[in-house]
Every structure is written in structure tokens, then in C-alpha cells.
Amino acid sequence: MDIPQPPQDTELRNIIDKLAQFVARNGPDFEQMTKNKQKGNTKFQFLFGGEFYNYYQYKVQTEQASMNGSSQNGNWNQCMQSMDETEIEQLTQQQEVLREQIKQSEQNLNAQHTVLLQQQQAQVENLVTKCEMAELQREAEASELPLDELYAILQPIIDSCTKDSISNGKSWILQHSSTKLQTLCIAHCLLYKVMHNSSTFPQKLHVIYLVNDVLHHCARKNATELKDALASVVVPMFCNASIGATDEQKNKLDKLLRLWESKANYLATETVEQMRQPVASYQQFKTDQVSKFASEVAPLAQQTKATYDGYQAQHQAFVCHAMAQILELQQQVQNIEAQIQSQPPPPITSNIPKSSPVMNTNIIPLDALQANLQQTMAQQSTNENGSQVQHLGMNPPNPDLVPSESPNFLPPMNPSVPPPLMSQNNLDVPQFSQPPPGFFPPPGLFPDFSKPPPGFAPPPEPVHEDLLPSVPYYDLPAGLMVPLIKVHNNLIFLLSLS
């Protein structure tokens, strides 16, 4: 990865360089404080991932590395590795965002499919209702049945359901059901009033009561065509009224069902069993109606399918585009990781302290000098008191030793005994109360131990005011002890005034 290029604007580059120095010295808290203060300033957009964010990070890393004393190559490798890891993290986040978008697109597609099916269901029901109404009109015209007159007869039954209205409705139906086509038209008209007129449960129940009276008449008079026509519509009537009814309302329907079940000549056993399963039977009726008007419903299904296919094509195109971007980002991540592995490791900085300058080995150790001085002074003191006649430092005479005639002959010396003292007549006796010449090392060889080492504050000077008591003497420990001393324990001397 190449070194990030600085901005062409000199003022902006100075801002980035200075801020990088301060952040390297003061830490990330200073950077956060600058972000809070310069949040709306366009010159500080590089702090929020702007154009020169990489250059700013590079300057911070290099400033920190220079402060730590590392080599420039090692610092640059660490800086670039940190920037590479940041870039890998950003690429990974972009991949996660794309995967989340793909997942959201799939959820949107499923939601669109559900909405389209709901819309199609509503459109199909409306279309089926229109088709049923149109078919009813055709049946009425073919059978010459006056629908307006039938609607006028049914309206009092739907509203109040009195005994007279039920009787009038039954009489009108029996008078106008001379042909099979008329019976089917009357049955379909009753079904339409129950299912497609936004009727309430009482209104639906009133129409079913009318059907019950007509079935009773058909069973007595053996009117087979009218009974079969009513049997073909009584199941969807009953099921439509039962779905969504309360328990009390269902009890009224169950009474009718038990009555029909007890009267074998009213309805067939299969018809009664279908009414005992209202949900399944009503769903089957709706399916049959859609199949009946399949030619009219087909365009709606095709339109819905075309709309969904368009949404699905958009989803697949987006998924392909997103997957291509994910693969491209993954390739970039692999390239960066390979580049990180190929970079040489940063140089290892040694923590071994620098060697101190070589000390002068010709200086006699202080302990040896003090021991030699004390021994010499002790022997001198013994000689002065007359305890020994022999000179200090001389070896005892050896009778076997023959003195040589050579003037350079010297008697053997004991290295553990100091040399003898010279005569005071010839030479001055050295002053052993002072250190010998060269005892102290030259200036600068040893540090000055009279001062604290660098980095430590000097000890605070005592404040004499703090030593003065701030309370009366009788409140001090010594003053509190005075009253405890008895007088007879002390010698009292009376002073004469004269």
C-alpha cells in the first residue's frame, strides 16, 4: 500500500500535521475533544472519515513512532499494518451491509407476494360476485322471472321476519316455480341476498327461515325440483351465516340443523354433514365458484403473476449485483491479508540500557584505604606507649639470613604489614587525620549524592513556623503531666531572700 498523499491546500495540511502531533502526545482523548468542538467545521472532515482520513492516521502513527524512538521502517510497517487492518474491517462491514440488504430484499419480495395474493383474492371475490349477478340476470331473463318483484317480497322478511311476511314469501315462490329454470333462479336470488348484500346475522337467519318453510312445503307436496334447487344453495347459506356467529347465534342454527336431520325427507344426509363443517364446506364452495368463472378470473391471475415476476426479477438482479460486490470486496480483503503477510516484521528494539563509561581501575577502593589507615594508626599508638620495641611494620630478625654486601640488598617484607614509619628527624610524619593524596576521585567521576537524582523533587525545607505549638503549654503532653507529679516526691530547696 502506498503512502497516503497529503492535501494540496497548505493550510489544511498544516492543520492535519499539527493535530496529529497533539494527538500523538496527548492521546485519543484530545482527538475526541477536537471532534466535539469541530463537528460542523468542514476543515476537520478528515476526523470523520473524510478525504484525507488515511493521511491523518498515517501522520498520527508516524508521530507516535518517532516519540517512541523506533526506526522509521518499523514504524511505517506498523502504521501500514494498522491501516490495513482498519481497511479490512471496513470492507468486512460493507460485506455485512450487502448481505443484510439481500436478506431484506428477500423479506420485501415475500411481503409483496403476500400483498399481491391478498389483492388478487379481493379482486377475484368482487369479480365472482359480478359474474354471479350477471348470471342471475340472465337466468331471470331466460325464465321470465320478475326479480324486482321478488326483491320486494323478500325485503319485509329480511327486515322483520313476521309470520305473514314468511307466508307471503312462500306463496310467491310456490306460484313462480313452475319450471326448473325458475326454481334455480329463485334459489340463486336467495343465496345472493345472504352472501353479497352485506347482511347481518339476523337478516341471513330470516332468509334461512324462509327456506325452511319452503322445504317443509316441498316435503309435503313432493316438489322435487324446488327442493333440489334449494338444497344446492342451503349449504353455502348456512355456512356463511355460521362463520363469525356467536354461541347464541350458533344455537339457533343448530336447532334448524337438528330439525333437518330429523326430517329425512327435507335434505339428504350428505347435505347435513356438509353443514356440520362450515369452514371447509364454505371454502370448497368458493373454490367451485372461482373454477366456474375461470375464464373471467384468469386475467387477474395472470396480471398478479406478471407483477410478482417483475418484483422477483428485480430482486434477483439486485442479489446478483450485491453478490458480485461481496466477491470483489472479499478479493480485496484477501489481497490486503496477503500483503500484510508478505511485509517484513518490524525491527526488535532492544531494552538493554546503554553501558556506562569505563571506570578508572587505578583508583584504590575506599574500603581498603580505610582499613589500611586504621591499622597504621593502631600500630602507631602501640609504639608510642612502649608496648613494642620493634619498629612498626618491620619483620622480626631472622638469624639464618645473612646480609648481602650488595648495597641494593633489602630485607624481605611482609605484604600484610604496612611499611615502617620513617624517622621524624629526617621526614615529616604524614597527617593521617586527612585522606591521602588522590583519595577522592576527580570531579565528575561519581555523581553528586548530596542532591536528589534527576526526576525526583527535592525534599521540602522545614518550616519553622510548623514546629511552634498552636495551643497553650498546659494542653501539650508535658503540660498535662505536670499536675500528676506530687510535691513530696521532689526535693524542695528554699532560697534565702538575703
Side-chain angles (χ1 to χ4, degrees), residues 331-383:
Q331 185 64 35
Q332 294 180 12
V333 170
Q334 293 178 357
N335 294 337
I336 295 175
E337 291 178 349
Q339 187 173 1
I340 292 176
Q341 295 178 358
S342 63
Q343 289 178 356
I348 302 175
T349 57
S350 177
N351 295 325
I352 301 176
K354 296 181 179 179
S355 59
S356 58
V358 181
M359 302 296 293
N360 187 2
T361 57
N362 297 325
I363 299 176
I364 302 175
L366 182 60
D367 296 338
L369 288 174
Q370 290 181 351
N372 193 2
L373 181 61
Q374 292 177 359
Q375 184 178 4
T376 304
M377 293 177 66
Q379 292 178 357
Q380 182 180 5
S381 175
T382 305
N383 187 24

Side-chain angles (χ1 to χ4, degrees), residues 5-19:
Q5 296 297 324
Q8 299 294 333
D9 188 1
T10 306
E11 181 182 0
L12 180 58
R13 179 174 182 178
N14 292 335
I15 291 176
I16 296 176
D17 294 346
K18 285 295 183 182
L19 182 60

Side-chain angles (χ1 to χ4, degrees), residues 63-183:
E63 290 292 337
Q64 291 176 347
S66 62
M67 291 175 59
N68 294 333
S70 326
S71 64
Q72 184 65 26
N73 293 332
N75 294 331
W76 170 238
N77 291 335
Q78 295 177 0
C79 174
M80 296 310 299
Q81 183 177 1
S82 176
M83 294 177 62
D84 290 339
E85 292 176 353
T86 303
E87 187 172 358
I88 290 176
E89 183 178 359
Q90 293 177 355
L91 295 176
T92 305
Q93 292 177 356
Q94 293 178 9
Q95 289 178 335
E96 293 298 329
V97 170
L98 290 173
R99 292 190 181 96
E100 185 64 26
Q101 290 178 355
I102 292 175
K103 183 178 179 181
Q104 187 175 1
S105 178
E106 293 176 354
Q107 295 176 354
N108 293 337
L109 180 63
N110 295 332
Q112 289 289 348
H113 185 254
T114 303
V115 172
L116 288 175
L117 290 179
Q118 293 175 354
Q119 293 177 354
Q120 179 184 352
Q121 182 67 23
Q123 293 174 357
V124 168
E125 290 180 357
N126 293 333
L127 181 60
V128 169
T129 302
K130 293 180 180 180
C131 292
E132 290 175 349
M133 187 63 189
E135 185 182 22
L136 182 61
Q137 290 289 343
R138 291 192 299 269
E139 290 176 354
E141 293 176 357
S143 61
E144 298 180 355
L145 186 71
L147 289 179
D148 295 338
E149 186 178 347
L150 179 57
Y151 290 156
I153 292 295
L154 294 177
Q155 194 61 42
I157 299 174
I158 294 173
D159 293 339
S160 59
C161 191
T162 61
K163 184 177 180 179
D164 294 338
S165 61
I166 291 289
S167 178
N168 294 333
K170 181 179 66 172
S171 299
W172 192 95
I173 291 174
L174 293 177
Q175 293 175 1
H176 295 82
S177 58
S178 57
T179 64
K180 183 177 180 180
L181 187 58
Q182 288 180 341
T183 58

Side-chain angles (χ1 to χ4, degrees), residues 231-409:
S232 64
V233 297
V234 70
V235 174
M237 282 185 184
F238 187 90
C239 294
N240 181 271
S242 178
I243 295 174
T246 62
D247 294 339
E248 183 179 358
Q249 294 171 348
K250 289 182 179 180
N251 290 333
K252 297 179 181 180
L253 293 175
D254 290 341
K255 291 180 181 180
L256 280 176
L257 187 59
R258 287 193 295 269
L259 176 62
W260 294 338
E261 188 177 10
S262 63
K263 303 294 183 179
N265 55 352
Y266 274 25
L267 297 172
T269 305
E270 294 81 3
T271 304
V272 175
E273 289 298 328
Q274 290 178 2
M275 286 186 285
R276 290 191 179 279
Q277 299 176 356
V279 177
S281 299
Y282 186 73
Q283 187 63 36
Q284 182 64 38
F285 170 77
K286 301 291 289 184
T287 305
D288 294 340
Q289 289 297 101
V290 172
S291 300
K292 181 179 179 179
F293 302 104
S295 59
E296 289 81 1
V297 174
L300 289 177
Q302 293 177 359
Q303 182 180 358
T304 302
K305 185 176 183 304
T307 305
Y308 176 74
D309 290 343
Y311 291 153
Q312 191 174 19
Q314 293 178 3
H315 167 70
Q316 292 177 353
F318 173 76
V319 169
C320 294
H321 177 69
M323 290 302 298
Q325 289 184 343
I326 291 175
L327 293 177
E328 182 179 356
L329 293 174
Q330 184 64 27
Q331 185 64 35
Q332 294 180 12
V333 170
Q334 293 178 357
N335 294 337
I336 295 175
E337 291 178 349
Q339 187 173 1
I340 292 176
Q341 295 178 358
S342 63
Q343 289 178 356
I348 302 175
T349 57
S350 177
N351 295 325
I352 301 176
K354 296 181 179 179
S355 59
S356 58
V358 181
M359 302 296 293
N360 187 2
T361 57
N362 297 325
I363 299 176
I364 302 175
L366 182 60
D367 296 338
L369 288 174
Q370 290 181 351
N372 193 2
L373 181 61
Q374 292 177 359
Q375 184 178 4
T376 304
M377 293 177 66
Q379 292 178 357
Q380 182 180 5
S381 175
T382 305
N383 187 24
E384 290 177 356
N385 294 333
S387 61
Q388 294 180 359
V389 179
Q390 186 180 0
H391 291 289
L392 291 176
M394 292 295 292
N395 295 327
N398 188 355
D400 299 331
L401 182 62
V402 180
S404 175
E405 298 297 334
S406 172
N408 296 328
F409 172 77

